[in-house]
C-alpha cells in the first residue's frame, strides 16, 4: 500500500520538478517564481506535502508548507486522508473504519 503511495508521489514530484524548471532555480519556462503564476490551491499544497512526507523529502515538505497557511494545510491534509481512506475502503470492499485502523496498525474494533 505505502509502496504504491510512494510511487504515485514520486511521479507527481518528478512531474512537478520538471514543470518548475531544472536546476532548482524556481523558474517555470524562464519566468521567476510568482510572476504570472496563479496562487496555490490548499489541496495542491496538501497533496504536495503528503507526497513529500511519504518520500521523506524535507525540501518538498518545507516548500509545500509555505504555499498556504498552516490551518489550510491541516484542513487539506485531513480532507486528503478522508478521501484516501474512503477510496481504499471501496476498493477493498471494507468499511472506512476497518481500513483506517489497519493503516494505523490498530487492532480491529
Amino acid at each position: 500500500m505505502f509502496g504504491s503511495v510512494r510511487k504515485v508521489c514520486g511521479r507527481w514530484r518528478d512531474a512537478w520538478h520538471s514543470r518548475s524548471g531544472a536546476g532548482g532555480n524556481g523558474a517555470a519556462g524562464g519566468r521567476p517564481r510568482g510572476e504570472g503564476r496563479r496562487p496555490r490551491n490548499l489541496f495542491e499544497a496538501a497533496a504536495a506535502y503528503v507526497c513529500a512526507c511519504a518520500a521523506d523529502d524535507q525540501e518538498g515538505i518545507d516548500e509545500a508548507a509555505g504555499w498556504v497557511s498552516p490551518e489550510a494545510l491541516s484542513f487539506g491534509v485531513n480532507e486528503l486522508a478522508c478521501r484516501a481512506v474512503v477510496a481504499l475502503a471501496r476498493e477493498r470492499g471494507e468499511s472506512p473504519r476497518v481500513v483506517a485502523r489497519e493503516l494505523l496498525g490498530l487492532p480491529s474494533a
Side-chain angles (χ1 to χ4, degrees):
M1 161 55 199
F2 289 112
S4 61
V5 169
R6 284 191 179 109
K7 188 185 300 183
V8 169
C9 289
R11 288 185 200 147
W12 183 88
R13 185 188 68 240
D14 293 344
W16 179 258
H17 285 292
S18 68
R19 277 195 321 183
S20 62
N25 62 4
R31 290 185 307 214
R33 220 175 236 184
E35 183 179 311
R37 299 189 78 175
R38 63 179 176 76
R40 297 284 198 266
N41 176 308
L42 73 97
F43 296 116
E44 290 174 322
Y49 182 84
V50 169
C51 288
C53 287
D56 198 27
D57 174 13
Q58 188 60 49
E59 184 178 317
I61 291 169
D62 295 340
E63 181 179 357
W67 292 349
V68 295
S69 72
E71 295 83 9
L73 183 61
S74 177
F75 174 80
V77 169
N78 182 59
E79 186 66 22
L80 178 59
C82 291
R83 291 180 187 194
V85 167
V86 168
L88 193 54
R90 285 183 184 150
E91 182 180 298
R92 293 181 178 183
E94 298 175 340
S95 75
R97 173 176 279 200
V98 168
V99 170
R101 293 183 67 83
E102 184 179 302
L103 288 172
L104 293 170
L106 299 172
S108 56

